[in-house]
Amino acid sequence: MASRTSTRTQGDGEKYSVLLPTYNERENLPLIVWLLVKYFGESGYDYEIIVIDDGSPDGTLEIAEQLQKIYGEDKILLRPRAKKLGLGTAYIHGIKHASGTFIFIMDADLSHHPKFIPEFIEKQKEGDYDLVSGTRYQGDGGVYGWDLRRKLISRGANFVTQVLLRPGASDLTGSFRLYKRKVLEGLIERCVSKGYVFQMEMIIRARQLDYSIGEVPISFVDRVYGESKLGGNEIVSFLKGLLTLFATT
Amino acid sequence: MTKLLEWVFGVSVVGAAWAFVTFDILKMSIPRTYREVAWPMPLYLLVTFGCYSLATVGYRVATFNDCDDAAKELQAQIIEAREDLRKKGLKF
């Protein structure tokens, strides 16, 4: 039995594609790419990073091209689109050009930290899970930068979701996940919602299709470079999405 | 069955059982004490669920982990990353 060391020099025969939809992430993109390269490099797993930029006016694509020159076109793939077209289609677009057997989805704004990537991979292997979901609500998962109001809304919304949908996963609106490639493709086809309700629907449909779901506690660091607001509009659209899922799944 | 239908079904079953006992619909001569206990049950269950919800959400908010270390680590890594990328030729 090979002993587990903190750094591995050989991969596992699998390849991990990281999908990064971006919009106005010129500041954050180099940093997230640097962190991904660091943690994938240390772990020895084979990977590629696919940047799907939706026509960002701030020059995100330009800085992505610089990163491509630094890290290589085999590691950084650029699949831009003309304008902001939504998350589901961004994933579909990204997967088309992905050569990995597994797909990571995560936010490009540094709220999700690549240091958890080896944990996701290990968790996946542990139970051969069809998908592994990062959770802020269990174990030593958590958040940074949230005031009491934000925490209350988050936990309250999650509680209502758990009661109504009984999803079998603790964090439904999270978007730091690892999927088997076929599983992701199949789920996207079936999902009709938008935004973070889309993330919820992915888990619900996965449950319906009897996919196995593993969880990894993650830390979510909010507002590194800007404000993330949760106003009345978002709450209303969340409730609408939740009730739709309640009535249709 | 959708979750909505599950709920409708569940509530109907429980509601029917409650109505049968409270109003003695089948005229089974249910003892008075049973009916007196059954009558306020829906309200009691609602209040109990309300209290459970408040307590659970309250507990979860109170024990919501604050990742101060993660934030500090990220800030330090940002500085390191910017320096390393600058050396590699990135023009911010």
Side-chain angles (χ1 to χ4, degrees):
Chain A
M1 216 43 146
S3 61
R4 290 169 60 128
T5 52
S6 57
T7 55
R8 244 164 297 218
T9 46
Q10 57 227 74
D12 55 356
E14 309 280 2
K15 185 167 181 180
Y16 299 88
S17 302
V18 181
L19 299 184
L20 282 183
T22 60
Y23 190 74
N24 283 346
E25 295 290 2
R26 191 195 167 83
E27 289 275 330
N28 292 324
L29 186 61
L31 306 171
I32 188 97
V33 166
W34 187 88
L35 287 168
L36 283 166
V37 169
K38 174 184 160 82
Y39 286 98
F40 266 114
E42 282 171 9
S43 67
Y45 297 121
D46 190 16
Y47 70 101
E48 63 183 0
I49 302 169
I50 304 176
V51 180
I52 305 134
D53 185 54
D54 281 357
S56 299
D58 72 346
T60 302
L61 189 57
E62 189 270 320
I63 212 154
E65 284 163 356
Q66 288 194 50
L67 289 164
Q68 202 177 35
K69 288 203 183 66
I70 294 173
Y71 290 113
E73 284 180 10
D74 58 322
K75 286 284 178 273
I76 315 275
L77 278 65
L78 303 183
R79 298 288 175 258
R81 305 192 295 179
K83 55 179 184 146
K84 216 163 191 284
L85 286 173
L87 212 51
T89 51
Y91 292 152
I92 294 172
H93 188 70
I95 291 178
K96 276 207 202 91
H97 305 99
S99 56
T101 43
F102 288 90
I103 314 272
F104 269 101
I105 64 160
M106 61 190 300
D107 290 350
D109 62 358
L110 296 176
S111 52
H112 295 146
H113 199 300
K115 70 179 175 182
F116 293 106
I117 284 185
E119 290 183 40
F120 273 84
I121 296 176
E122 271 151 47
K123 185 71 189 182
Q124 192 283 322
K125 290 182 195 303
E126 206 181 283
D128 192 28
Y129 292 108
D130 296 307
L131 78 96
V132 181
S133 171
T135 173
R136 297 159 291 177
Y137 299 132
Q138 295 238 325
D140 52 4
V143 293
Y144 174 82
W146 281 9
D147 57 8
L148 187 62
R149 174 184 174 266
R150 186 74 180 82
K151 285 183 183 178
L152 196 55
I153 295 175
S154 182
R155 284 293 201 176
N158 183 258
F159 179 78
V160 173
T161 306
Q162 296 289 332
V163 167
L164 287 182
L165 298 180
R166 299 192 319 275
S170 61
D171 191 344
L172 257 81
T173 51
S175 50
F176 192 176
R177 299 186 186 157
L178 171 62
Y179 291 87
K180 286 183 184 170
R181 190 209 177 102
K182 287 275 176 285
V183 170
L184 181 60
E185 285 169 340
L187 285 176
I188 294 184
E189 260 171 39
R190 290 180 159 78
C191 287
V192 295
S193 334
K194 312 256 174 274
Y196 47 76
V197 183
F198 169 74
Q199 303 290 1
M200 287 167 63
E201 194 185 353
M202 297 277 275
I203 297 255
I204 300 295
R205 301 250 174 246
R207 265 287 171 235
Q208 274 184 331
L209 294 167
D210 269 319
Y211 287 133
S212 54
I213 302 176
E215 294 194 302
V216 167
I218 57 163
S219 54
F220 182 93
V221 177
D222 208 350
R223 287 190 242 123
V224 176
Y225 272 119
E227 285 276 306
S228 69
K229 299 195 226 300
L230 193 73
N233 275 337
E234 267 119 333
I235 296 180
V236 166
S237 67
F238 167 79
L239 286 173
K240 272 201 214 149
L242 178 60
L243 289 174
T244 308
L245 286 175
F246 180 61
T248 58
T249 60
Chain B
M1 205 193 268
T2 66
K3 290 283 180 290
L4 176 59
L5 286 178
E6 280 179 25
W7 274 78
V8 166
F9 182 69
V11 168
S12 306
V13 166
V14 171
W18 172 79
F20 276 114
V21 171
T22 308
F23 301 116
D24 203 5
I25 291 179
L26 294 176
K27 297 277 180 282
M28 294 191 306
S29 309
I30 296 173
R32 195 182 173 76
T33 42
Y34 281 31
R35 284 192 287 145
E36 281 177 359
V37 166
W39 162 235
M41 267 308 161
L43 189 60
Y44 285 175
L45 288 174
L46 225 53
V47 171
T48 307
F49 177 71
C51 292
Y52 164 78
S53 303
L54 285 176
T56 304
V57 174
Y59 173 76
R60 288 176 180 173
V61 170
T63 57
F64 210 158
N65 287 328
D66 278 312
C67 305
D68 295 329
D69 289 340
K72 285 203 195 77
E73 177 190 44
L74 181 60
Q75 290 305 333
Q77 285 181 322
I78 288 175
I79 293 171
E80 190 189 341
R82 290 184 75 97
E83 197 39 54
D84 190 38
L85 286 167
R86 202 169 289 128
K87 286 205 197 90
K88 291 189 158 89
L90 192 77
K91 304 274 184 294
F92 285 95

